[in-house]
Amino acid sequence: MQNEFRQSIKKGGNQNHPRKGSSTVVDPIRDEKDIKAIRKFLSDKPRDHLLFVMGINNGLRTGDLLKIRIRDVESMKPGDSINIREGKTGKQNILVINKIVHKVLSDHLKESKLSVDDFLFKSKKGDHPLTIQAVNSYVKKWTAAINLKGNYGAHSLRKTWGYIQRTHYGVGFEIICKRFNHQSPAVTMRYLGITDKEVANILTNNEIG
């Protein structure tokens, strides 16, 4: 995987990796065309495709997704949910299967031929799930493959869910905060980030007077 990642960076440059001394905070994937481009890139990799799609459709931490086993989701249908205890906070949360996730999940289950006790995102190197470090490398590889500028990693999947909910569907920070199990909407605002361009755009929404 590391060799593939290095080759990808060599071909596409290092636009998705921070420069030395710069911030290591990762970005969400902000544009739907980039999401579609990554999905196309992963279309022949069922496990990785599911990880990406499930990550950007649920807003859960990647570490919590990696703990899921086949038996937890194999009989789920669109609209079904299961309880998740967050590893970082110990709080209860839920994983919801929507239509898109269900389709990609079905593809993975059909192609992987894993047993019910296997991890959903099983490593190819043993009977354990992918590590966060591996997912970080994968996400950097995926974004580099489509020449997406910025800094990306495992947290980008969760951030993408929040960003799309806020900008495309108008969901308030209070609701996203509850989903993220953050302490306050202010924490969520800092977590997702607001660019100067976004602030400037709202100034043209209405002309008062």
Side-chain angles (χ1 to χ4, degrees):
M1 182 186 70
Q2 291 296 329
N3 288 337
E4 292 177 354
F5 174 56
R6 283 193 289 268
Q7 289 171 5
S8 174
I9 293 297
K10 188 174 181 180
K11 290 179 181 178
N14 64 348
Q15 302 100 319
N16 70 335
H17 193 76
R19 293 180 180 179
K20 186 175 181 179
S22 64
S23 172
T24 57
V25 174
V26 299
D27 300 311
I29 300 168
R30 295 180 170 88
D31 200 313
E32 284 192 277
K33 70 176 177 59
D34 294 321
I35 291 174
K36 290 178 179 178
I38 292 174
R39 289 196 60 193
K40 183 177 180 180
F41 176 73
L42 297 176
S43 61
D44 62 344
K45 304 173 181 65
R47 182 200 63 183
D48 298 350
H49 191 196
L50 176 61
L51 177 60
F52 179 72
V53 170
M54 187 175 281
I56 66 172
N57 273 274
N58 265 282
L60 293 171
R61 291 180 179 85
T62 300
D64 294 323
L65 295 179
L66 297 179
K67 293 184 295 186
I68 297 171
R69 294 181 185 268
I70 297 293
R71 62 171 177 260
D72 298 323
V73 296
E74 64 174 347
S75 62
M76 294 183 74
K77 298 179 177 61
D80 288 349
S81 64
I82 57 172
N83 291 325
I84 297 285
R85 181 176 290 279
E86 296 181 345
K88 182 176 181 179
T89 67
K91 296 178 180 178
Q92 288 289 335
N93 215 322
I94 59 172
L95 168 75
V96 177
I97 301 295
N98 62 20
K99 291 181 179 179
I100 293 175
V101 173
H102 183 261
K103 171 63 171 61
V104 183
L105 171 63
S106 298
D107 291 342
H108 176 45
L109 294 179
K110 182 171 60 177
E111 294 293 328
S112 66
K113 296 180 174 57
L114 296 171
S115 72
V116 294
D117 293 322
D118 282 329
F119 287 100
L120 183 62
F121 301 110
K122 181 181 177 182
S123 170
K124 296 177 181 177
K125 298 180 180 179
D127 294 328
H128 52 80
L130 293 170
T131 63
I132 292 292
Q133 292 77 12
V135 178
N136 268 317
S137 293
Y138 275 130
V139 176
K140 290 182 183 299
K141 172 185 173 182
W142 304 338
T143 50
I146 66 166
N147 295 314
L148 186 59
K149 294 181 180 179
N151 179 39
Y152 301 93
H155 256 310
S156 294
L157 306 182
R158 174 172 153 98
K159 284 190 174 186
T160 297
W161 177 84
Y163 184 87
I164 294 297
Q165 292 300 318
R166 180 172 68 85
T167 59
H168 289 236
Y169 298 105
V171 178
F173 281 110
E174 294 81 0
I175 302 296
I176 299 173
C177 170
K178 183 173 178 61
R179 175 56 174 160
F180 280 165
N181 268 332
H182 282 166
Q183 292 181 341
S184 70
V187 173
T188 304
M189 291 174 69
R190 290 195 298 271
Y191 180 74
L192 293 180
I194 301 177
T195 65
D196 291 340
K197 182 178 179 181
E198 289 178 81
V199 174
N201 284 343
I202 68 171
L203 299 178
T204 62
N205 284 346
N206 293 291
E207 294 182 6
I208 302 173

